[in-house]
Amino acid sequence: MQAIRCILVVIDPNQPQELALKRARLISSVSQSHLHLLTCDAKHDHSSHLAALREQLESEGHQVSTQQAWHDSLHQTIITVQQAEGCGLVVKQHVPDNPLKRALLTPEDWKLLRYCPCPVLMVKTANPWTGGNILAAVDVGNSDLEHRTLHATIINHGYEIASLADGKLHVISAHPSAMLSAADPAFQLKETIEARYREACKRFQEEFDIPDAQLHVEEGPADALIPRVCHQLKAVVTVIGTVARTGFSGALMGNTAEVVLDTLESDVLVLKPDDIIDHLEDLVRH
């Protein structure tokens, strides 16, 4: 996060608390990043509101630019501007859809998480980050190169946010329940699954310097465990990654980040591996 030169902040006139701007201001004050404020609207003029925000932020010592734009949809507008401005982080206040609408249409925030080529911070609460717990969600049992690279990115961002907020980093990893039908005999017995995960966790802890008290390994589905541990820790930010699967058309992400977005009681930072970012940038360009 220290290396982010420009942060895209989505300014929603319907969200008067401006939680996204509050978070972006905090990150910028440490990283010295430029703030690019974007209002996505084709109908109404928001130039006076953006000018007032810019003046206020510049008086605090921030470098700021502003823009109003619209390109077919909310997520496409944000991604188009993110690419044009070279922003390394998008900060947006999360707006939950009602369950009926979500069942019929893919929410715009989900599409942004799926298709945005850079990290996205979804701001959900007004709770201060200072002194809070940061929760990083990883899959310790997956040790292929793609997952190891993503784990390093998640943990590094987690440590950076913990440093920024003077908080403490915790790590959650869910492991599967025993399945008699599993092809690998190691996944047919609970004891062998736990033993395999304990061994993987030991290597993981040594690599990333995670104390026992800050590692939470539990059995069950990630989309249920992550919100539960987040609630128990009263985490202020949850850092989650996504690895695409091969053999698909278009850009798809594992849906854990989408599923937990509405249930988490913290802000959510979603990261992707470099190869997926390259793929998404190609899609945007074409």
Side-chain angles (χ1 to χ4, degrees):
M1 277 195 156
Q2 304 282 8
I4 295 168
R5 291 194 305 275
C6 182
I7 300 172
L8 176 58
V9 192
V10 181
I11 301 295
D12 184 349
N14 299 317
Q15 305 291 330
Q17 284 181 290
E18 286 170 348
L19 299 181
L21 186 57
K22 182 180 171 184
R23 295 295 188 240
R25 184 192 270 140
L26 170 68
I27 297 166
S28 169
S29 64
V30 175
S31 63
Q32 305 301 306
S33 308
H34 180 94
L35 296 174
H36 187 70
L37 312 186
L38 170 68
T39 298
C40 304
D41 191 349
K43 295 176 182 172
H44 308 99
D45 180 22
H46 300 283
S47 53
S48 57
H49 178 55
L50 288 169
L53 289 175
R54 178 177 182 167
E55 188 178 334
Q56 178 191 345
L57 290 162
E58 286 181 339
S59 71
E60 296 169 5
H62 295 283
Q63 288 185 317
V64 187
S65 51
T66 63
Q67 182 179 0
Q68 179 172 340
W70 185 255
H71 301 280
D72 299 325
S73 66
L74 180 66
H75 77 280
Q76 284 179 319
T77 306
I78 295 168
I79 292 167
T80 301
V81 173
Q82 178 265 329
Q83 287 289 285
E85 298 296 324
C87 300
L89 174 68
V90 169
V91 184
K92 181 187 181 296
Q93 184 169 339
H94 174 52
V95 182
D97 279 305
N98 71 61
L100 178 61
K101 185 179 175 186
R102 198 166 63 226
L104 299 171
L105 298 167
T106 305
E108 281 293 317
D109 281 0
W110 285 21
K111 290 178 186 172
L112 182 62
L113 295 186
R114 264 181 221 185
Y115 301 118
C116 186
C118 77
V120 178
L121 175 63
M122 286 287 179
V123 185
K124 296 192 62 180
T125 78
N127 299 337
W129 282 7
T130 310
N133 287 320
I134 315 304
L135 181 62
V138 297
D139 183 3
V140 172
N142 249 319
S143 57
D144 59 72
L145 182 60
E146 194 173 27
H147 275 90
R148 284 211 313 274
T149 306
L150 183 59
H151 290 163
T153 304
I154 292 169
I155 299 299
N156 289 339
H157 276 77
Y159 271 129
E160 283 192 8
I161 295 172
S163 171
L164 169 77
D166 196 21
K168 186 182 284 187
L169 177 66
H170 288 256
V171 178
I172 168 79
S173 184
H175 72 74
S177 305
M179 291 182 295
L180 291 174
S181 60
D184 184 342
F187 286 99
Q188 292 177 4
L189 292 171
K190 184 177 179 179
E191 292 74 19
T192 53
I193 293 176
E194 285 184 4
R196 179 178 281 200
Y197 263 75
R198 269 200 297 272
E199 190 57 41
C201 286
K202 208 180 296 177
R203 291 194 300 269
F204 178 83
Q205 286 179 269
E206 286 168 4
E207 186 177 354
F208 294 108
D209 194 24
I210 308 290
D212 287 347
Q214 286 159 240
L215 179 68
H216 310 268
V217 179
E218 297 189 38
E219 177 188 316
D223 53 9
L225 289 175
I226 295 169
R228 194 177 83 207
V229 173
C230 173
H231 173 75
Q232 288 167 352
L233 294 172
K234 295 183 171 60
V236 291
V237 188
T238 300
V239 186
I240 193 165
T242 165
V243 176
R245 291 156 183 77
T246 54
F248 59 85
S249 59
L252 292 175
M253 60 183 280
N255 67 357
T256 303
E258 297 172 4
V259 173
V260 301
L261 185 59
D262 283 338
T263 51
L264 281 166
E265 298 170 10
S266 71
D267 295 345
V268 187
L269 177 65
V270 179
L271 309 170
K272 299 183 183 76
D274 290 343
D275 59 335
I276 300 188
I277 289 171
D278 293 342
H279 175 63
L280 291 170
E281 285 181 334
D282 285 343
L283 282 180
V284 174
R285 277 196 290 270
H286 298 112

